[in-house]
C-alpha cells in the first residue's frame, strides 16, 4: 500500500511541538548542561527552548537501567551539607555511576544489593553503615576498605598526638630559629656573648611577663580562673593558657623584612658597650667594613633603643609556625621528599619529643604496606602500634582490627575508592547547575543518564 503524500517524514507525537529527534537532542543538552545553560546553548544551535521545557523533558525521561556490576564502589554525598546525605553506587570497571540512593542507611544499601545480585567486590570507606549494609546485602562479596581513607585516618591519629605537643613544637621551632640565625650570620657570637646575658625587653613584653607571674602566684594561692581574670582584668582564656605554661613565652610576631645592618650587629654591640653613641660615626665605621646601606638604616636600627641603654637587645628570632597539621604531614613523608629545613626541624623536634621518632617510623611503615601491597606486614604493624606509648595510634590500631578483613584486602588488591571520589566530585558539579530545582529524582536521572547522553 502506498504511503499517502500528506504523511510526515518525521515522527511527531500527539499534542507536541517537537519532533522525537528534536526532543532527544534537547534532552541530551539538558543532561549535559542543565536548564538555563542548556537553553542558551540550544538557542545558539537554532533550537530555541526555555529552561523550564528542558527541565520538564528531564523529568519525563526514563531512568537508564544498567547491568549489575561485579565490582561496586560505594560512598556518600551530601544533598544538603550537614543535613541530608545520600549514597552513590559506581561500576568500578566501567567507571560509571549506576544509581543514587536517597540516604546512607545500612538497610537501604542492603535492599539494593539484594535486588541486584551478582556483586563480587565492594569498595567502600570504613563507615559502619556501609559495612553492615554490604555484609547483610551481599555476604559473598569481598569488601575492600578505601586506602585513601585509611591513610587519612592515620594522619588524623598523628595530629591528635601532636595537638598535645604544642609546647615541644614551639621549643623546637625556637631552637631551629636560633641555629639558623647563627648560621646566617657566619657563626658569629650572639649579643649575650659580646655584652653579657642581659636583654632589654619592650614595655609590652615586660608587662605580659609580669601578668604571667601574677597569674601563676594566684593559681598557687587557690584562686579560680574567673576570679583571676576579674582581678587582673584579662580574659579567662589567657588565664587558662598561662595555667598550662611552665614559663612565659613571647608571642610570635609577623615576619619582618631583615635589616641590612644585622650582619654587623656584633660589631655594633661591641662599639655600643665601649660607649659609642654617634650613629653617623658608627655608619662610617661600617662603611669601612663593606656596609653598602645608608645612614638612615643605622638610625632605624637604633630607633627603639635609648641612648642610655647599657647593652643592645637580642635581635628578634624569625620563628616559623609549625602547626600540628603541618608536622603530621612531615612525619608521613619519606626522607628524600623532605626539604633541608624540614629534616632539621624533625631532628630538633625528636630531641624535645621522643615519641615523634616512634610515630614517624610507624607512619612510614604503614604507607609502605599499602604502597607495596605487603599485607603480611599488617599484623606486626598493629602489634607495634598497640605496644607504643602513643594513645592515638593505639586507638587507630584497635580500629583496624575491628575491620581487619577489609583493611587486609585494601593492602592486597588494586581496587580502591578513588574512582568513586571522582564521581562524587562530578555530582557536586552537576548539583549546583540545577539550583533549587535539583530534587533527588531529577539529580538521579542527570547523574545516571549523563554519560549515555553524549
Amino acid at each position: 500500500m502506498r504511503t499517502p503524500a500528506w504523511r510526515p517524514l518525521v515522527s511527531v507525537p500527539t499534542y507536541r511541538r517537537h519532533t522525537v529527534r528534536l526532543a532527544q537532542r534537547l534532552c541530551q543538552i539538558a543532561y549535559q548542561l542543565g536548564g538555563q545553560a542548556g537553553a542558551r546553548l540550544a538557542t545558539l544551535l537554532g533550537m530555541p527552548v526555555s529552561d523550564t521545557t528542558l527541565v520538564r523533558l528531564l523529568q519525563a525521561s526514563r531512568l537508564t537501567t544498567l547491568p549489575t556490576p561485579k565490582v561496586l564502589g560505594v560512598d556518600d554525598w551530601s544533598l544538603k551539607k550537614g543535613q541530608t546525605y545520600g549514597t552513590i553506587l559506581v561500576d568500578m570497571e566501567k567507571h560509571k555511576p549506576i544509581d543514587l540512593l536517597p540516604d546512607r542507611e545500612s538497610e537501604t544499601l542492603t535492599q539494593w544489593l539484594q535486588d541486584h545480585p551478582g556483586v563480587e567486590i565492594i569498595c567502600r570507606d570504613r563507615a559502619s553503615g556501609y559495612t553492615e549494609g554490604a555484609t547483610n546485602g551481599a555476604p559473598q562479596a569481598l569488601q575492600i576498605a578505601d586506602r585513601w581513607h585509611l591513610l587519612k585516618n592515620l594522619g588524623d591519629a598523628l595530629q591528635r598526638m601532636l595537638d598535645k605537643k604544642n609546647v615541644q613544637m614551639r621549643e623546637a621551632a625556637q631552637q631551629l630559629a636560633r641555629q639558623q640565625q647563627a648560621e646566617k650570620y657566619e657563626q658569629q657570637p650572639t649579643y649575650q656573648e659580646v655584652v653579657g646575658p642581659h636583654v632589654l625587653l619592650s614595655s609590652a613584653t615586660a608587662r605580659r611577663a609580669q601578668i604571667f607571674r601574677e597569674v601563676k602566684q594566684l593559681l598557687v594561692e587557690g584562686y579560680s580562673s574567673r576570679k583571676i581574670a576579674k582581678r587582673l582584668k584579662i580574659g579567662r582564656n589567657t588565664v587558662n593558657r598561662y595555667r598550662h605554661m611552665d614559663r612565659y613565652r613571647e608571642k610570635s610576631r609577623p615576619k619582618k623584612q631583615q635589616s641590612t645592618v644585622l650582619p654587623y650587629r656584633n660589631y655594633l654591640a661591641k662599639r655600643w658597650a665601649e660607649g659609642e653613641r654617634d650613629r653617623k660615626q658608627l655608619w662610617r665605621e661600617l662603611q669601612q667594613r663593606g656596609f653598602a646601606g645608608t645612614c638612615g638604616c643605622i638610625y632605624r636600627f637604633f630607633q627603639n633603643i635609648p641612648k642610655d641603654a647599657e647593652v643592645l637587645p637580642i635581635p628578634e628570632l624569625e620563628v616559623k609556625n609549625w602547626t600540628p597539621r603541618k608536622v603530621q604531614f612531615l612525619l608521613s613523608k619519606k626522607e628524600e621528599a623532605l626539604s633541608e629545613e624540614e629534616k632539621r626541624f624533625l631532628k630538633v623536634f625528636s630531641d624535645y619529643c621522643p615519641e615523634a621518632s616512634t610515630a614517624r617510623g610507624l607512619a612510614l611503615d604503614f604507607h609502605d604496606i599499602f604502597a607495596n601491597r605487603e599485607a603480611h606486614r599488617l599484623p606486626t604493624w598493629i602489634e607495634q602500634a598497640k605496644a607504643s606509648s602513643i594513645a592515638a595510634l593505639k586507638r587507630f590500631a584497635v580500629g583496624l582490627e575491628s575491620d581487619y578483613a577489609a583493611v587486609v584486602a585494601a593492602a592486597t588488591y588494586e581496587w580502591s575508592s578513588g574512582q568513586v571520589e571522582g564521581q562524587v566530585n562530578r555530582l557536586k558539579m552537576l548539583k549546583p547547575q540545577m539550583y533549587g530545582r535539583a530534587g533527588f529524582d531529577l539529580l538521579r536521572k542527570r547523574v545516571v543518564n549523563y554519560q549515555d547522553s553524549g
Side-chain angles (χ1 to χ4, degrees):
M1 182 177 179
R2 292 181 56 188
T3 302
W6 50 266
R7 179 171 294 182
L9 298 179
V10 294
S11 176
V12 181
T14 307
Y15 303 112
R16 289 285 185 91
R17 295 187 178 184
H18 298 147
T19 64
V20 172
R21 187 176 62 179
L22 178 58
Q24 291 174 346
R25 294 295 180 267
L26 292 176
C27 201
Q28 290 171 345
I29 292 175
Y31 279 132
Q32 299 290 332
L33 299 176
Q36 293 183 352
R40 289 193 292 268
L41 178 61
T43 301
L44 291 175
L45 297 177
M47 299 179 288
V49 68
S50 68
D51 58 332
T52 303
T53 298
L54 291 180
V55 172
R56 189 167 60 250
L57 288 172
L58 287 179
Q59 291 172 332
S61 64
R62 296 180 180 179
L63 183 68
T64 302
T65 302
L66 300 173
T68 302
K70 292 183 179 180
V71 184
L72 178 69
V74 181
D75 202 358
D76 62 347
W77 57 277
S78 62
L79 184 62
K80 190 172 184 181
K81 190 172 183 180
Q83 299 184 23
T84 307
Y85 287 86
T87 300
I88 186 171
L89 306 177
V90 178
D91 186 335
M92 302 295 288
E93 294 179 310
K94 297 181 180 179
H95 293 192
K96 293 178 61 175
I98 59 175
D99 207 350
L100 294 183
L101 304 182
D103 55 48
R104 52 181 177 181
E105 301 297 328
S106 60
E107 295 81 6
T108 306
L109 178 59
T110 298
Q111 187 62 48
W112 190 94
L113 290 171
Q114 291 175 350
D115 295 339
H116 301 78
V119 177
E120 299 177 1
I121 298 176
I122 299 177
C123 301
R124 57 167 178 80
D125 59 22
R126 300 176 63 207
S128 58
Y130 291 146
T131 303
E132 182 181 351
T135 302
N136 297 335
Q140 79 289 347
L142 173 66
Q143 298 183 36
I144 301 179
D146 180 35
R147 286 189 290 275
W148 183 86
H149 282 95
L150 288 170
L151 298 179
K152 183 180 184 300
N153 295 151
L154 173 65
D156 293 340
L158 293 175
Q159 187 165 341
R160 287 194 298 272
M161 178 200 77
L162 294 169
D163 285 337
K164 300 178 182 180
K165 307 295 181 182
N166 283 299
V167 174
Q168 291 89 333
M169 283 191 291
R170 283 196 297 268
E171 291 177 345
Q174 292 173 359
Q175 177 64 25
L176 179 61
R178 286 191 288 269
Q179 293 178 2
Q180 292 174 334
Q181 187 183 68
E183 293 173 0
K184 185 174 182 179
Y185 299 119
E186 301 175 349
Q187 301 292 341
Q188 295 179 359
T190 61
Y191 281 163
Q192 297 104 309
E193 296 170 347
V194 174
V195 298
H198 303 288
V199 179
L200 292 178
L201 296 177
S202 66
S203 58
T205 302
R207 179 174 56 82
R208 287 192 291 268
Q210 177 61 31
I211 291 175
F212 173 79
R213 290 190 292 269
E214 293 178 6
V215 169
K216 283 295 188 180
Q217 180 60 37
L218 293 175
L219 288 172
V220 171
E221 296 175 5
Y223 284 86
S224 65
S225 298
R226 184 186 296 273
K227 290 184 178 180
I228 295 175
K230 186 176 181 180
R231 180 171 178 174
L232 300 180
K233 297 182 180 180
I234 58 178
R236 272 190 293 170
N237 290 337
T238 302
V239 176
N240 292 330
R241 187 172 70 251
Y242 287 171
R243 180 191 297 272
H244 301 290
M245 293 171 57
D246 53 351
R247 58 186 177 83
Y248 178 72
R249 299 175 183 83
E250 177 59 18
K251 291 183 177 180
S252 59
R253 298 176 181 176
K255 184 177 179 181
K256 299 179 181 179
Q257 184 176 0
Q258 284 287 344
S259 171
T260 55
V261 183
L262 281 180
Y264 306 91
R265 72 197 192 289
N266 292 309
Y267 176 78
L268 293 175
K270 180 176 179 297
R271 296 289 289 130
W272 191 275
E274 294 173 355
E276 181 60 62
R277 299 293 186 270
D278 189 344
R279 272 65 165 173
K280 288 188 176 181
Q281 177 58 31
L282 292 173
W283 173 58
R284 296 188 190 98
E285 294 177 8
L286 291 186
Q287 281 186 315
Q288 296 175 1
R289 288 164 174 78
F291 178 65
T294 63
C295 185
C297 296
I298 307 298
Y299 276 90
R300 285 191 294 272
F301 182 78
F302 287 102
Q303 64 182 352
N304 294 324
I305 302 173
K307 287 188 176 182
D308 57 351
E310 297 181 0
V311 296
L312 294 181
I314 300 174
E316 183 179 344
L317 288 174
E318 295 183 24
V319 182
K320 187 174 180 179
N321 184 25
W322 298 88
T323 63
R325 179 174 176 81
K326 185 185 298 183
V327 176
Q328 72 95 354
F329 280 117
L330 299 185
L331 293 178
S332 301
K333 291 174 67 175
K334 293 185 177 181
E335 192 74 14
E336 57 270 19
L338 295 171
S339 65
E340 288 301 322
E341 183 183 27
E342 292 171 344
K343 292 178 182 178
R344 296 183 61 180
F345 173 80
L346 287 179
K347 184 178 182 303
V348 175
F349 180 53
S350 297
D351 295 337
Y352 285 94
C353 179
E355 292 179 347
S357 298
T358 304
R360 175 166 170 76
L362 289 171
L364 292 177
D365 288 344
F366 193 78
H367 278 255
D368 287 340
I369 289 173
F370 289 92
N372 302 323
R373 303 290 192 273
E374 297 174 343
H376 62 277
R377 296 173 51 192
L378 195 58
T380 304
W381 188 93
I382 292 177
E383 292 303 322
Q384 291 176 349
K386 292 170 64 176
S388 69
S389 60
I390 306 172
L393 288 181
K394 288 182 179 180
R395 290 194 295 271
F396 175 67
V398 172
L400 294 181
E401 288 183 324
S402 65
D403 197 18
Y404 185 72
V407 175
V408 170
T412 305
Y413 299 93
E414 63 176 0
W415 299 106
S416 189
S417 298
Q419 169 61 210
V420 187
E421 296 293 342
Q423 296 295 345
V424 171
N425 287 334
R426 188 176 66 82
L427 188 152
K428 292 177 181 178
M429 176 196 71
L430 295 177
K431 187 176 64 173
Q433 292 179 353
M434 309 301 291
Y435 295 99
R437 309 175 75 169
F440 174 76
D441 292 334
L442 185 61
L443 186 61
R444 183 186 184 193
K445 290 180 179 179
R446 281 207 67 190
V447 172
V448 177
N449 294 357
Y450 180 90
Q451 299 196 34
D452 291 334
S453 63

